[in-house]
Amino acid sequence: MDVVTPRHLTSVTGTGIDLPDPGRLVHLQFRRFAGCPVCNLHLRSIVRRHAEIEAAGVREVVLFHSPADELREHVADLPFAVVADPDRRLYREFGVESARRSLLDPRAWLPILRAVVTGTWHVLRGREKLPSRTPHGGRLGLPADFLIAPDGRVLAAKYGEHASDQWSVDDLLAQVSQSRSAR
C-alpha cells in the first residue's frame, strides 16, 4: 500500500481518529488479540517512551483483531488510541496476515516465554487480565507497523515474520528521522 485512503476510525473508548492524521505522522500498529502476552509486553515498551514518541510528532494508533468489548479491559490504561477490527477489514486492506509461523518460528520462542512470564507476574499482581482461552480471530496473527504521513503516504512499513517481529521504539524513531531527512 502506497497511500492510505482517508477514513475515520473509532477507538474502543469512543474517541474519533482520523487516518491519516492531517497534523502529524501516525504509527499504525497491527497487533494480535486482546490480552496477547507478546503484544502487552511490546505495548508496555511503547507506553514507557510514549512522551518521546509524541515529541517526535507521532501519534500511536494500535489495532487488534478482537471486539471492542474484549479489548477494553486489557487496554484501558494505555495513553494512545486502540481500535477494534474484529472482522479484520483493515488487516486485509493493509495485507497483514495470520500464519502458524507467528508462534512456530524459533525467533519468537524466547520473546513468547519472556512475555508469558512477565504477563503471569502482572496477572498475579492484578495489573493485567488473562486473555481468553479462545480469542476472537485466533492466536496466529502477525504484527505489522506502518508510518503514515499527514497526506496519507506510507513512509515505511514492516510486516512481522513471527509474533514478536515488530518495530521497537528506537526502530520507529529511526524511521521518523529517515522520513524527515528524505524530504
Side-chain angles (χ1 to χ4, degrees):
M1 169 175 294
D2 296 327
V3 178
V4 174
T5 304
R7 70 198 67 223
H8 188 76
L9 305 174
T10 304
S11 77
V12 297
T13 62
T15 304
I17 304 154
D18 287 325
L19 185 68
D21 185 320
R24 56 188 162 167
L25 298 171
V26 172
H27 175 211
L28 182 63
Q29 296 187 50
F30 287 80
R31 308 305 319 157
R32 294 163 16 103
F33 56 90
C36 163
V38 175
C39 303
N40 288 347
L41 187 62
H42 174 67
L43 291 177
R44 280 194 292 276
S45 73
I46 300 292
V47 168
R48 280 191 301 275
R49 296 182 63 191
H50 188 247
E52 189 178 347
I53 294 167
E54 281 193 322
V58 178
R59 178 177 191 180
E60 287 291 332
V61 178
V62 181
L63 274 82
F64 281 87
H65 60 73
S66 297
D69 289 343
E70 260 181 58
L71 272 172
R72 280 188 196 97
E73 67 180 331
H74 294 282
V75 301
D77 61 341
L78 296 179
F80 41 79
V82 175
V83 176
D85 186 12
D87 298 325
R88 294 184 187 240
R89 286 190 313 264
L90 289 171
Y91 284 75
R92 282 190 300 279
E93 185 178 324
F94 281 79
V96 180
E97 302 176 4
S98 291
R100 292 195 192 289
R101 73 179 184 271
S102 69
L103 299 175
L104 298 178
D105 189 311
R107 294 172 294 177
W109 296 347
L110 186 57
I112 290 171
L113 178 62
R114 195 171 89 230
V116 168
V117 169
T118 302
T120 300
W121 175 249
H122 285 287
V123 167
L124 291 173
R125 295 185 71 205
R127 292 184 179 171
E128 287 183 12
K129 306 250 187 230
L130 285 172
S132 168
R133 287 185 180 173
T134 55
H136 181 90
R139 297 181 180 275
L140 301 179
L142 290 164
D145 294 271
F146 296 86
L147 185 62
I148 303 168
D151 65 3
R153 285 178 299 122
V154 175
L155 302 173
K158 176 176 182 58
Y159 290 91
E161 295 180 16
H162 57 78
S164 186
D165 186 21
Q166 67 263 320
W167 285 339
S168 67
V169 173
D170 289 333
D171 294 335
L172 170 62
L173 295 175
Q175 292 295 338
V176 170
S177 179
Q178 283 179 337
S179 73
R180 289 203 170 113
S181 42
R183 287 187 226 164

